[in-house]
Amino acid sequence: MVMPSFDIVSKTDLTEVDNAIGGVTREVAQRFDFKGSKCTIERSDATLTIMADDDLKLKQMHELLRGYFARRKLDAGALDFKTVEKASGNMVRQEVVVKQGIDRDLAKTIIKAIKDSKQKVQAAIQGDELRVTGKKIDDLQATITVVRGLKIEQPLQYLNFRD
């Protein structure tokens, strides 16, 4: 007999990220306050690189990026903004990592919360995702509620629900 289970994962659709970047790029090209600026945003794998004329323009680029993420039904919580660096010609550069997968620390936090909740389920780390198994579907659903209540910034999805 197979026990009911589901997976907790964190995946961000990079095609939609590209669409969001395209929207930001188009808006920067059209907006009057960006006229003559050299602001750009590019993606390489799961890392975005934002180049901006100054800190103010960088902040505006952040707002645009978050806005376009929301429009594409992407969670801006997946964006990990790194330290701002100086770039050539008084410009500023910032790397933004699109978080993919659940890292060890977050996995341990989630597992501890599940254990502390006294649900009759087992949680196991499998690569960059978690598999939760239990005898009763109600226990699994209660576990999802527990994890949702953790206020984790990174977006999580609950997939492969099997009974």
Side-chain angles (χ1 to χ4, degrees), residues 25-132:
T25 306
R26 279 191 303 279
E27 189 160 331
V28 166
Q30 290 166 352
R31 270 177 49 173
F32 183 76
D33 55 341
F34 277 101
K35 197 171 176 73
S37 81
K38 297 186 190 78
C39 297
T40 61
I41 181 168
E42 291 167 1
R43 179 177 76 83
S44 169
D45 296 322
T47 307
L48 312 179
T49 306
I50 301 176
M51 295 285 286
D53 299 353
D54 50 48
D55 290 331
L56 179 69
K57 290 269 192 293
L58 186 63
K59 278 201 175 66
Q60 290 175 309
M61 296 281 285
H62 287 182
E63 285 170 25
L64 284 173
L65 187 59
R66 286 192 180 99
Y68 276 95
F69 254 59
R71 287 185 203 172
R72 307 293 320 174
K73 307 259 186 293
L74 293 169
D75 191 326
L79 298 172
D80 182 7
F81 291 91
K82 299 296 182 194
T83 336
V84 177
E85 310 164 350
K86 292 266 176 248
S88 60
N90 291 339
M91 291 188 67
V92 287
R93 175 190 309 117
Q94 185 175 34
E95 302 235 310
V96 184
V97 176
V98 180
K99 294 184 217 161
Q100 295 282 28
I102 297 172
D103 67 21
R104 286 262 174 233
D105 294 339
L106 181 55
K108 286 177 182 164
T109 305
I110 294 171
I111 288 173
K112 184 179 182 322
I114 291 171
K115 283 191 174 134
D116 292 349
S117 76
K118 305 279 190 266
Q119 294 297 331
K120 291 184 176 148
V121 297
Q122 311 290 255
I125 299 173
Q126 295 189 326
D128 61 355
E129 45 190 63
L130 291 174
R131 162 92 24 106
V132 180

